[in-house]
Amino acid sequence: MIENLHQKLEDSYEQMVEWRRHFHQYPELSFQEVETPHKISEILTSFGIEVQTGVGGRGVVGTIRGGKPGKTVALRADFDALPLEDEKEVPYKSKVPGVMHACGHDGHTATLLAVAKVLSEMRADICGSIVLIHQHAEEYYPGGAIQMIGDGCLEGVDAIFGTHLMTTLPLGVVGSRTGALSASVDGFEVTIQGRGGHGSAPHDTVDALIVATQIINQLQLVVSRRVDPLQPAVLTIGSFHAGEASNVIADKAVFKGTVRTFSPEVRVQMEREIRFIVEGGCAALHASADIQYIHSYPSIINHAQETELFIQVAGKVLGHDQVIEAPLLTGSEDFSYYLQHVPGMYFFTGAAMSDPLANFPHHHPRFDFDERAMLIAGKTLLSLVYHYLQEEEQILVD
């Protein structure tokens, strides 16, 4: 049965590449997706799959009902693009100015469509159901996952799996880990209010710029002196604005930053420490502050049983030496919300270009990936579906 599923996927490879390149040429930004979900719905419908559109706003959900009763497993792919100019010189270069797929979401979508095609052709032999979650707006908070969950995309789902094509891993390698895989991400914006004045008379002012710089310096000590050194954390100040003229002391300063953590306890601690330092620093220097703290995506926390299944299944598909324990990712992913509702796991599929000079980081204007990685991702997902239902005695009949 597995060999049959994989062969059907290989037979669909050229179509998968064609789909990927179409989506790459016509990218759409988060929460602005119109043609992409329409195209996905059109393709799924052509396979005779039940389709719901507008799920959570712009998401698409397809359901394949097997010929026999059983459990339900979900697979997820995201389809939004980024506000970048595509600088690659390839035939499938983005045709939308200032917008491109620079993170592999076009490949995720094409892979799940090919998997859907294979499973739809085998539905008579399937015990249970497969839910195909095509998600909008992964790149932009609050993200499409939480909206689609709120609209019922996980109703009746027993487990969920997903993957991300990664150019940081070589082609042929897949990786994951039990527990935390990605970081949670929070953002903050601090407005320091002082009292402006003439640059020649600083004693008559409260210099918001100086207050802000003192606070920013103190914030750099949070990770090194307040957080357990065995617990990873990142605090980055990425934006700072104060003053306009050389002889005017600024009455207001604004800085923004991001916080990345893997532990829920450290996540709470980081916010507490930031607030303490900002409020204390302002009190000491006669200023005041407004703190806007935004809780964004939580960490991906992979479930142990489903992760162990992945390790065993991927080992059979690729060879056990090609399955690695993935390093912690300080980036974030709203797949994390699905795992707060149902068991499941998320894994990385190596997609590095064969030419190192053509291998650029995710979110880079020249980003691309080895399209053969879609075949590896698809085979792994098909095997996960097969073995999950089989081990639960909801058997895909061989």
Side-chain angles (χ1 to χ4, degrees), residues 14-44:
E14 289 186 9
Q15 177 67 79
M16 190 169 14
V17 170
E18 184 180 319
W19 286 328
R20 181 261 165 158
R21 294 186 177 190
H22 170 84
F23 292 124
H24 196 86
Q25 290 180 82
Y26 301 99
E28 294 180 301
L29 295 173
S30 306
F31 298 109
Q32 299 178 34
E33 307 97 334
V34 176
E35 295 303 323
T36 303
H38 176 75
K39 179 73 172 178
I40 292 168
S41 174
E42 185 180 71
I43 294 169
L44 292 176

PDB file of all heavy atoms in Angstrom, residues 14-44:
ATOM      1  N   GLU A  14       5.486  16.126 -11.688  1.00  0.00           N
ATOM      2  CA  GLU A  14       5.507  17.239 -12.647  1.00  0.00           C
ATOM      3  C   GLU A  14       4.330  18.181 -12.414  1.00  0.00           C
ATOM      4  O   GLU A  14       4.473  19.400 -12.524  1.00  0.00           O
ATOM      5  CB  GLU A  14       5.494  16.697 -14.080  1.00  0.00           C
ATOM      6  CG  GLU A  14       6.800  16.032 -14.485  1.00  0.00           C
ATOM      7  CD  GLU A  14       6.822  15.641 -15.955  1.00  0.00           C
ATOM      8  OE1 GLU A  14       5.886  16.041 -16.691  1.00  0.00           O
ATOM      9  OE2 GLU A  14       7.765  14.941 -16.371  1.00  0.00           O
ATOM     10  N   GLN A  15       3.169  17.606 -12.073  1.00  0.00           N
ATOM     11  CA  GLN A  15       2.004  18.436 -11.781  1.00  0.00           C
ATOM     12  C   GLN A  15       2.240  19.257 -10.511  1.00  0.00           C
ATOM     13  O   GLN A  15       1.857  20.428 -10.422  1.00  0.00           O
ATOM     14  CB  GLN A  15       0.761  17.550 -11.608  1.00  0.00           C
ATOM     15  CG  GLN A  15      -0.503  18.310 -11.230  1.00  0.00           C
ATOM     16  CD  GLN A  15      -0.994  19.225 -12.336  1.00  0.00           C
ATOM     17  OE1 GLN A  15      -1.610  18.762 -13.283  1.00  0.00           O
ATOM     18  NE2 GLN A  15      -0.726  20.513 -12.210  1.00  0.00           N
ATOM     19  N   MET A  16       2.876  18.636  -9.524  1.00  0.00           N
ATOM     20  CA  MET A  16       3.191  19.325  -8.272  1.00  0.00           C
ATOM     21  C   MET A  16       4.088  20.531  -8.536  1.00  0.00           C
ATOM     22  O   MET A  16       3.868  21.626  -7.999  1.00  0.00           O
ATOM     23  CB  MET A  16       3.874  18.329  -7.322  1.00  0.00           C
ATOM     24  CG  MET A  16       4.035  18.838  -5.914  1.00  0.00           C
ATOM     25  SD  MET A  16       4.540  17.607  -4.653  1.00  0.00           S
ATOM     26  CE  MET A  16       5.080  16.200  -5.588  1.00  0.00           C
ATOM     27  N   VAL A  17       5.108  20.333  -9.367  1.00  0.00           N
ATOM     28  CA  VAL A  17       6.015  21.428  -9.723  1.00  0.00           C
ATOM     29  C   VAL A  17       5.254  22.531 -10.461  1.00  0.00           C
ATOM     30  O   VAL A  17       5.462  23.723 -10.212  1.00  0.00           O
ATOM     31  CB  VAL A  17       7.191  20.903 -10.568  1.00  0.00           C
ATOM     32  CG1 VAL A  17       8.008  22.063 -11.138  1.00  0.00           C
ATOM     33  CG2 VAL A  17       8.081  19.991  -9.729  1.00  0.00           C
ATOM     34  N   GLU A  18       4.371  22.122 -11.347  1.00  0.00           N
ATOM     35  CA  GLU A  18       3.581  23.110 -12.098  1.00  0.00           C
ATOM     36  C   GLU A  18       2.721  23.946 -11.165  1.00  0.00           C
ATOM     37  O   GLU A  18       2.635  25.176 -11.302  1.00  0.00           O
ATOM     38  CB  GLU A  18       2.696  22.380 -13.119  1.00  0.00           C
ATOM     39  CG  GLU A  18       1.900  23.305 -14.017  1.00  0.00           C
ATOM     40  CD  GLU A  18       1.037  22.554 -15.016  1.00  0.00           C
ATOM     41  OE1 GLU A  18       1.529  21.539 -15.569  1.00  0.00           O
ATOM     42  OE2 GLU A  18      -0.136  22.957 -15.228  1.00  0.00           O
ATOM     43  N   TRP A  19       2.066  23.285 -10.202  1.00  0.00           N
ATOM     44  CA  TRP A  19       1.269  24.024  -9.218  1.00  0.00           C
ATOM     45  C   TRP A  19       2.148  24.979  -8.419  1.00  0.00           C
ATOM     46  O   TRP A  19       1.796  26.143  -8.238  1.00  0.00           O
ATOM     47  CB  TRP A  19       0.578  23.059  -8.253  1.00  0.00           C
ATOM     48  CG  TRP A  19      -0.581  22.317  -8.827  1.00  0.00           C
ATOM     49  CD1 TRP A  19      -1.454  22.752  -9.786  1.00  0.00           C
ATOM     50  CD2 TRP A  19      -1.003  20.995  -8.470  1.00  0.00           C
ATOM     51  NE1 TRP A  19      -2.396  21.785 -10.051  1.00  0.00           N
ATOM     52  CE2 TRP A  19      -2.150  20.700  -9.254  1.00  0.00           C
ATOM     53  CE3 TRP A  19      -0.536  20.041  -7.572  1.00  0.00           C
ATOM     54  CZ2 TRP A  19      -2.821  19.487  -9.154  1.00  0.00           C
ATOM     55  CZ3 TRP A  19      -1.195  18.829  -7.461  1.00  0.00           C
ATOM     56  CH2 TRP A  19      -2.333  18.555  -8.254  1.00  0.00           C
ATOM     57  N   ARG A  20       3.280  24.475  -7.942  1.00  0.00           N
ATOM     58  CA  ARG A  20       4.161  25.318  -7.136  1.00  0.00           C
ATOM     59  C   ARG A  20       4.589  26.566  -7.906  1.00  0.00           C
ATOM     60  O   ARG A  20       4.583  27.689  -7.363  1.00  0.00           O
ATOM     61  CB  ARG A  20       5.387  24.499  -6.702  1.00  0.00           C
ATOM     62  CG  ARG A  20       6.358  25.299  -5.826  1.00  0.00           C
ATOM     63  CD  ARG A  20       7.557  25.850  -6.577  1.00  0.00           C
ATOM     64  NE  ARG A  20       8.236  26.871  -5.790  1.00  0.00           N
ATOM     65  CZ  ARG A  20       9.478  27.236  -5.956  1.00  0.00           C
ATOM     66  NH1 ARG A  20      10.232  26.664  -6.880  1.00  0.00           N
ATOM     67  NH2 ARG A  20       9.999  28.207  -5.230  1.00  0.00           N
ATOM     68  N   ARG A  21       4.949  26.394  -9.144  1.00  0.00           N
ATOM     69  CA  ARG A  21       5.438  27.533  -9.932  1.00  0.00           C
ATOM     70  C   ARG A  21       4.311  28.519 -10.262  1.00  0.00           C
ATOM     71  O   ARG A  21       4.553  29.724 -10.357  1.00  0.00           O
ATOM     72  CB  ARG A  21       6.138  27.022 -11.194  1.00  0.00           C
ATOM     73  CG  ARG A  21       7.406  26.250 -10.851  1.00  0.00           C
ATOM     74  CD  ARG A  21       8.213  25.846 -12.059  1.00  0.00           C
ATOM     75  NE  ARG A  21       9.452  25.167 -11.653  1.00  0.00           N
ATOM     76  CZ  ARG A  21      10.448  24.870 -12.449  1.00  0.00           C
ATOM     77  NH1 ARG A  21      10.374  25.194 -13.749  1.00  0.00           N
ATOM     78  NH2 ARG A  21      11.520  24.260 -11.989  1.00  0.00           N
ATOM     79  N   HIS A  22       3.096  27.997 -10.404  1.00  0.00           N
ATOM     80  CA  HIS A  22       1.962  28.901 -10.599  1.00  0.00           C
ATOM     81  C   HIS A  22       1.776  29.780  -9.372  1.00  0.00           C
ATOM     82  O   HIS A  22       1.657  31.010  -9.484  1.00  0.00           O
ATOM     83  CB  HIS A  22       0.677  28.108 -10.860  1.00  0.00           C
ATOM     84  CG  HIS A  22      -0.553  28.963 -10.837  1.00  0.00           C
ATOM     85  ND1 HIS A  22      -0.999  29.680 -11.929  1.00  0.00           N
ATOM     86  CD2 HIS A  22      -1.431  29.255  -9.831  1.00  0.00           C
ATOM     87  CE1 HIS A  22      -2.087  30.357 -11.612  1.00  0.00           C
ATOM     88  NE2 HIS A  22      -2.374  30.124 -10.348  1.00  0.00           N
ATOM     89  N   PHE A  23       1.754  29.161  -8.185  1.00  0.00           N
ATOM     90  CA  PHE A  23       1.578  29.934  -6.962  1.00  0.00           C
ATOM     91  C   PHE A  23       2.745  30.892  -6.751  1.00  0.00           C
ATOM     92  O   PHE A  23       2.560  31.997  -6.224  1.00  0.00           O
ATOM     93  CB  PHE A  23       1.437  29.004  -5.752  1.00  0.00           C
ATOM     94  CG  PHE A  23       0.161  28.199  -5.747  1.00  0.00           C
ATOM     95  CD1 PHE A  23       0.196  26.814  -5.662  1.00  0.00           C
ATOM     96  CD2 PHE A  23      -1.072  28.819  -5.836  1.00  0.00           C
ATOM     97  CE1 PHE A  23      -0.974  26.064  -5.671  1.00  0.00           C
ATOM     98  CE2 PHE A  23      -2.251  28.092  -5.838  1.00  0.00           C
ATOM     99  CZ  PHE A  23      -2.197  26.705  -5.758  1.00  0.00           C
ATOM    100  N   HIS A  24       3.945  30.488  -7.173  1.00  0.00           N
ATOM    101  CA  HIS A  24       5.107  31.350  -7.011  1.00  0.00           C
ATOM    102  C   HIS A  24       4.986  32.595  -7.892  1.00  0.00           C
ATOM    103  O   HIS A  24       5.412  33.691  -7.489  1.00  0.00           O
ATOM    104  CB  HIS A  24       6.393  30.598  -7.361  1.00  0.00           C
ATOM    105  CG  HIS A  24       7.622  31.282  -6.851  1.00  0.00           C
ATOM    106  ND1 HIS A  24       8.114  31.093  -5.579  1.00  0.00           N
ATOM    107  CD2 HIS A  24       8.457  32.186  -7.439  1.00  0.00           C
ATOM    108  CE1 HIS A  24       9.190  31.839  -5.407  1.00  0.00           C
ATOM    109  NE2 HIS A  24       9.427  32.508  -6.525  1.00  0.00           N
ATOM    110  N   GLN A  25       4.412  32.446  -9.049  1.00  0.00           N
ATOM    111  CA  GLN A  25       4.269  33.579  -9.966  1.00  0.00           C
ATOM    112  C   GLN A  25       3.148  34.525  -9.563  1.00  0.00           C
ATOM    113  O   GLN A  25       3.172  35.697  -9.938  1.00  0.00           O
ATOM    114  CB  GLN A  25       4.015  33.072 -11.389  1.00  0.00           C
ATOM    115  CG  GLN A  25       5.221  32.392 -12.019  1.00  0.00           C
ATOM    116  CD  GLN A  25       4.903  31.902 -13.423  1.00  0.00           C
ATOM    117  OE1 GLN A  25       4.936  32.661 -14.388  1.00  0.00           O
ATOM    118  NE2 GLN A  25       4.582  30.614 -13.533  1.00  0.00           N
ATOM    119  N   TYR A  26       2.185  34.012  -8.803  1.00  0.00           N
ATOM    120  CA  TYR A  26       1.024  34.827  -8.430  1.00  0.00           C
ATOM    121  C   TYR A  26       0.827  34.813  -6.917  1.00  0.00           C
ATOM    122  O   TYR A  26      -0.185  34.332  -6.412  1.00  0.00           O
ATOM    123  CB  TYR A  26      -0.220  34.326  -9.154  1.00  0.00           C
ATOM    124  CG  TYR A  26      -0.080  34.355 -10.658  1.00  0.00           C
ATOM    125  CD1 TYR A  26       0.238  33.203 -11.366  1.00  0.00           C
ATOM    126  CD2 TYR A  26      -0.221  35.551 -11.356  1.00  0.00           C
ATOM    127  CE1 TYR A  26       0.392  33.230 -12.740  1.00  0.00           C
ATOM    128  CE2 TYR A  26      -0.067  35.592 -12.735  1.00  0.00           C
ATOM    129  CZ  TYR A  26       0.237  34.424 -13.423  1.00  0.00           C
ATOM    130  OH  TYR A  26       0.398  34.465 -14.791  1.00  0.00           O
ATOM    131  N   PRO A  27       1.797  35.354  -6.165  1.00  0.00           N
ATOM    132  CA  PRO A  27       1.709  35.341  -4.698  1.00  0.00           C
ATOM    133  C   PRO A  27       0.720  36.372  -4.173  1.00  0.00           C
ATOM    134  O   PRO A  27       0.446  37.387  -4.835  1.00  0.00           O
ATOM    135  CB  PRO A  27       3.136  35.700  -4.284  1.00  0.00           C
ATOM    136  CG  PRO A  27       3.603  36.613  -5.389  1.00  0.00           C
ATOM    137  CD  PRO A  27       3.001  36.048  -6.647  1.00  0.00           C
ATOM    138  N   GLU A  28       0.208  36.112  -2.980  1.00  0.00           N
ATOM    139  CA  GLU A  28      -0.705  37.056  -2.333  1.00  0.00           C
ATOM    140  C   GLU A  28      -0.330  37.199  -0.860  1.00  0.00           C
ATOM    141  O   GLU A  28       0.031  36.222  -0.196  1.00  0.00           O
ATOM    142  CB  GLU A  28      -2.145  36.578  -2.461  1.00  0.00           C
ATOM    143  CG  GLU A  28      -2.642  36.576  -3.912  1.00  0.00           C
ATOM    144  CD  GLU A  28      -4.077  36.094  -4.034  1.00  0.00           C
ATOM    145  OE1 GLU A  28      -4.367  34.955  -3.627  1.00  0.00           O
ATOM    146  OE2 GLU A  28      -4.913  36.872  -4.535  1.00  0.00           O
ATOM    147  N   LEU A  29      -0.427  38.430  -0.357  1.00  0.00           N
ATOM    148  CA  LEU A  29      -0.044  38.730   1.011  1.00  0.00           C
ATOM    149  C   LEU A  29      -1.065  38.192   2.018  1.00  0.00           C
ATOM    150  O   LEU A  29      -2.231  37.944   1.679  1.00  0.00           O
ATOM    151  CB  LEU A  29       0.111  40.235   1.194  1.00  0.00           C
ATOM    152  CG  LEU A  29       1.241  40.899   0.411  1.00  0.00           C
ATOM    153  CD1 LEU A  29       1.169  42.411   0.563  1.00  0.00           C
ATOM    154  CD2 LEU A  29       2.605  40.378   0.865  1.00  0.00           C
ATOM    155  N   SER A  30      -0.622  38.070   3.263  1.00  0.00           N
ATOM    156  CA  SER A  30      -1.478  37.606   4.349  1.00  0.00           C
ATOM    157  C   SER A  30      -2.738  38.458   4.464  1.00  0.00           C
ATOM    158  O   SER A  30      -2.678  39.694   4.414  1.00  0.00           O
ATOM    159  CB  SER A  30      -0.723  37.674   5.676  1.00  0.00           C
ATOM    160  OG  SER A  30       0.499  36.975   5.621  1.00  0.00           O
ATOM    161  N   PHE A  31      -3.867  37.782   4.618  1.00  0.00           N
ATOM    162  CA  PHE A  31      -5.193  38.392   4.759  1.00  0.00           C
ATOM    163  C   PHE A  31      -5.645  39.127   3.496  1.00  0.00           C
ATOM    164  O   PHE A  31      -6.659  39.808   3.509  1.00  0.00           O
ATOM    165  CB  PHE A  31      -5.245  39.348   5.966  1.00  0.00           C
ATOM    166  CG  PHE A  31      -5.004  38.671   7.278  1.00  0.00           C
ATOM    167  CD1 PHE A  31      -3.836  38.876   7.980  1.00  0.00           C
ATOM    168  CD2 PHE A  31      -5.950  37.804   7.812  1.00  0.00           C
ATOM    169  CE1 PHE A  31      -3.605  38.251   9.190  1.00  0.00           C
ATOM    170  CE2 PHE A  31      -5.731  37.165   9.024  1.00  0.00           C
ATOM    171  CZ  PHE A  31      -4.561  37.385   9.716  1.00  0.00           C
ATOM    172  N   GLN A  32      -4.882  38.966   2.398  1.00  0.00           N
ATOM    173  CA  GLN A  32      -5.285  39.548   1.120  1.00  0.00           C
ATOM    174  C   GLN A  32      -5.420  38.466   0.045  1.00  0.00           C
ATOM    175  O   GLN A  32      -5.527  38.770  -1.137  1.00  0.00           O
ATOM    176  CB  GLN A  32      -4.265  40.596   0.683  1.00  0.00           C
ATOM    177  CG  GLN A  32      -4.119  41.766   1.642  1.00  0.00           C
ATOM    178  CD  GLN A  32      -3.058  42.766   1.209  1.00  0.00           C
ATOM    179  OE1 GLN A  32      -2.848  42.993   0.017  1.00  0.00           O
ATOM    180  NE2 GLN A  32      -2.373  43.361   2.182  1.00  0.00           N
ATOM    181  N   GLU A  33      -5.428  37.207   0.469  1.00  0.00           N
ATOM    182  CA  GLU A  33      -5.469  36.098  -0.478  1.00  0.00           C
ATOM    183  C   GLU A  33      -6.877  35.947  -1.075  1.00  0.00           C
ATOM    184  O   GLU A  33      -7.853  35.794  -0.330  1.00  0.00           O
ATOM    185  CB  GLU A  33      -5.077  34.786   0.219  1.00  0.00           C
ATOM    186  CG  GLU A  33      -3.752  34.846   0.960  1.00  0.00           C
ATOM    187  CD  GLU A  33      -3.924  35.119   2.438  1.00  0.00           C
ATOM    188  OE1 GLU A  33      -4.951  35.741   2.812  1.00  0.00           O
ATOM    189  OE2 GLU A  33      -3.055  34.723   3.218  1.00  0.00           O
ATOM    190  N   VAL A  34      -6.944  36.004  -2.385  1.00  0.00           N
ATOM    191  CA  VAL A  34      -8.216  35.845  -3.096  1.00  0.00           C
ATOM    192  C   VAL A  34      -8.094  34.750  -4.152  1.00  0.00           C
ATOM    193  O   VAL A  34      -8.823  33.755  -4.131  1.00  0.00           O
ATOM    194  CB  VAL A  34      -8.657  37.171  -3.767  1.00  0.00           C
ATOM    195  CG1 VAL A  34      -9.923  36.950  -4.587  1.00  0.00           C
ATOM    196  CG2 VAL A  34      -8.873  38.249  -2.712  1.00  0.00           C
ATOM    197  N   GLU A  35      -7.165  34.928  -5.072  1.00  0.00           N
ATOM    198  CA  GLU A  35      -7.014  33.967  -6.163  1.00  0.00           C
ATOM    199  C   GLU A  35      -6.388  32.650  -5.691  1.00  0.00           C
ATOM    200  O   GLU A  35      -6.716  31.586  -6.215  1.00  0.00           O
ATOM    201  CB  GLU A  35      -6.166  34.579  -7.281  1.00  0.00           C
ATOM    202  CG  GLU A  35      -6.817  35.773  -7.968  1.00  0.00           C
ATOM    203  CD  GLU A  35      -8.184  35.439  -8.553  1.00  0.00           C
ATOM    204  OE1 GLU A  35      -8.360  34.311  -9.064  1.00  0.00           O
ATOM    205  OE2 GLU A  35      -9.089  36.282  -8.459  1.00  0.00           O
ATOM    206  N   THR A  36      -5.501  32.722  -4.719  1.00  0.00           N
ATOM    207  CA  THR A  36      -4.852  31.495  -4.235  1.00  0.00           C
ATOM    208  C   THR A  36      -5.858  30.516  -3.645  1.00  0.00           C
ATOM    209  O   THR A  36      -5.897  29.346  -4.058  1.00  0.00           O
ATOM    210  CB  THR A  36      -3.743  31.818  -3.214  1.00  0.00           C
ATOM    211  OG1 THR A  36      -2.797  32.711  -3.812  1.00  0.00           O
ATOM    212  CG2 THR A  36      -3.035  30.545  -2.780  1.00  0.00           C
ATOM    213  N   PRO A  37      -6.704  30.935  -2.679  1.00  0.00           N
ATOM    214  CA  PRO A  37      -7.684  29.979  -2.172  1.00  0.00           C
ATOM    215  C   PRO A  37      -8.684  29.520  -3.226  1.00  0.00           C
ATOM    216  O   PRO A  37      -9.154  28.373  -3.191  1.00  0.00           O
ATOM    217  CB  PRO A  37      -8.376  30.736  -1.035  1.00  0.00           C
ATOM    218  CG  PRO A  37      -8.062  32.168  -1.257  1.00  0.00           C
ATOM    219  CD  PRO A  37      -6.745  32.208  -1.936  1.00  0.00           C
ATOM    220  N   HIS A  38      -8.981  30.402  -4.183  1.00  0.00           N
ATOM    221  CA  HIS A  38      -9.889  30.012  -5.269  1.00  0.00           C
ATOM    222  C   HIS A  38      -9.258  28.891  -6.095  1.00  0.00           C
ATOM    223  O   HIS A  38      -9.933  27.901  -6.439  1.00  0.00           O
ATOM    224  CB  HIS A  38     -10.195  31.218  -6.158  1.00  0.00           C
ATOM    225  CG  HIS A  38     -11.044  30.882  -7.348  1.00  0.00           C
ATOM    226  ND1 HIS A  38     -12.398  30.633  -7.262  1.00  0.00           N
ATOM    227  CD2 HIS A  38     -10.706  30.721  -8.665  1.00  0.00           C
ATOM    228  CE1 HIS A  38     -12.866  30.340  -8.463  1.00  0.00           C
ATOM    229  NE2 HIS A  38     -11.865  30.387  -9.332  1.00  0.00           N
ATOM    230  N   LYS A  39      -7.968  29.029  -6.405  1.00  0.00           N
ATOM    231  CA  LYS A  39      -7.262  28.008  -7.188  1.00  0.00           C
ATOM    232  C   LYS A  39      -7.195  26.698  -6.412  1.00  0.00           C
ATOM    233  O   LYS A  39      -7.413  25.607  -6.983  1.00  0.00           O
ATOM    234  CB  LYS A  39      -5.852  28.514  -7.505  1.00  0.00           C
ATOM    235  CG  LYS A  39      -4.983  27.539  -8.310  1.00  0.00           C
ATOM    236  CD  LYS A  39      -5.427  27.443  -9.748  1.00  0.00           C
ATOM    237  CE  LYS A  39      -4.441  26.636 -10.573  1.00  0.00           C
ATOM    238  NZ  LYS A  39      -4.881  26.491 -11.986  1.00  0.00           N
ATOM    239  N   ILE A  40      -6.890  26.760  -5.127  1.00  0.00           N
ATOM    240  CA  ILE A  40      -6.819  25.559  -4.295  1.00  0.00           C
ATOM    241  C   ILE A  40      -8.166  24.850  -4.276  1.00  0.00           C
ATOM    242  O   ILE A  40      -8.252  23.619  -4.455  1.00  0.00           O
ATOM    243  CB  ILE A  40      -6.381  25.925  -2.861  1.00  0.00           C
ATOM    244  CG1 ILE A  40      -4.926  26.392  -2.861  1.00  0.00           C
ATOM    245  CG2 ILE A  40      -6.565  24.734  -1.904  1.00  0.00           C
ATOM    246  CD1 ILE A  40      -4.488  27.049  -1.573  1.00  0.00           C
ATOM    247  N   SER A  41      -9.221  25.600  -4.055  1.00  0.00           N
ATOM    248  CA  SER A  41     -10.574  25.031  -4.027  1.00  0.00           C
ATOM    249  C   SER A  41     -10.927  24.366  -5.350  1.00  0.00           C
ATOM    250  O   SER A  41     -11.504  23.273  -5.389  1.00  0.00           O
ATOM    251  CB  SER A  41     -11.586  26.132  -3.704  1.00  0.00           C
ATOM    252  OG  SER A  41     -12.908  25.645  -3.805  1.00  0.00           O
ATOM    253  N   GLU A  42     -10.561  25.019  -6.432  1.00  0.00           N
ATOM    254  CA  GLU A  42     -10.835  24.496  -7.775  1.00  0.00           C
ATOM    255  C   GLU A  42     -10.133  23.158  -7.995  1.00  0.00           C
ATOM    256  O   GLU A  42     -10.729  22.204  -8.521  1.00  0.00           O
ATOM    257  CB  GLU A  42     -10.364  25.530  -8.803  1.00  0.00           C
ATOM    258  CG  GLU A  42     -10.672  25.204 -10.238  1.00  0.00           C
ATOM    259  CD  GLU A  42     -10.151  26.296 -11.170  1.00  0.00           C
ATOM    260  OE1 GLU A  42      -8.913  26.390 -11.331  1.00  0.00           O
ATOM    261  OE2 GLU A  42     -10.967  27.070 -11.701  1.00  0.00           O
ATOM    262  N   ILE A  43      -8.877  23.074  -7.571  1.00  0.00           N
ATOM    263  CA  ILE A  43      -8.112  21.831  -7.745  1.00  0.00           C
ATOM    264  C   ILE A  43      -8.685  20.715  -6.883  1.00  0.00           C
ATOM    265  O   ILE A  43      -8.886  19.584  -7.346  1.00  0.00           O
ATOM    266  CB  ILE A  43      -6.625  22.074  -7.420  1.00  0.00           C
ATOM    267  CG1 ILE A  43      -5.998  23.033  -8.445  1.00  0.00           C
ATOM    268  CG2 ILE A  43      -5.853  20.753  -7.405  1.00  0.00           C
ATOM    269  CD1 ILE A  43      -4.622  23.527  -8.070  1.00  0.00           C
ATOM    270  N   LEU A  44      -8.948  21.003  -5.608  1.00  0.00           N
ATOM    271  CA  LEU A  44      -9.499  19.984  -4.711  1.00  0.00           C
ATOM    272  C   LEU A  44     -10.851  19.481  -5.210  1.00  0.00           C
ATOM    273  O   LEU A  44     -11.138  18.280  -5.172  1.00  0.00           O
ATOM    274  CB  LEU A  44      -9.640  20.547  -3.293  1.00  0.00           C
ATOM    275  CG  LEU A  44      -8.348  20.843  -2.539  1.00  0.00           C
ATOM    276  CD1 LEU A  44      -8.658  21.490  -1.193  1.00  0.00           C
ATOM    277  CD2 LEU A  44      -7.514  19.583  -2.340  1.00  0.00           C
TER     278      LEU A  44
END
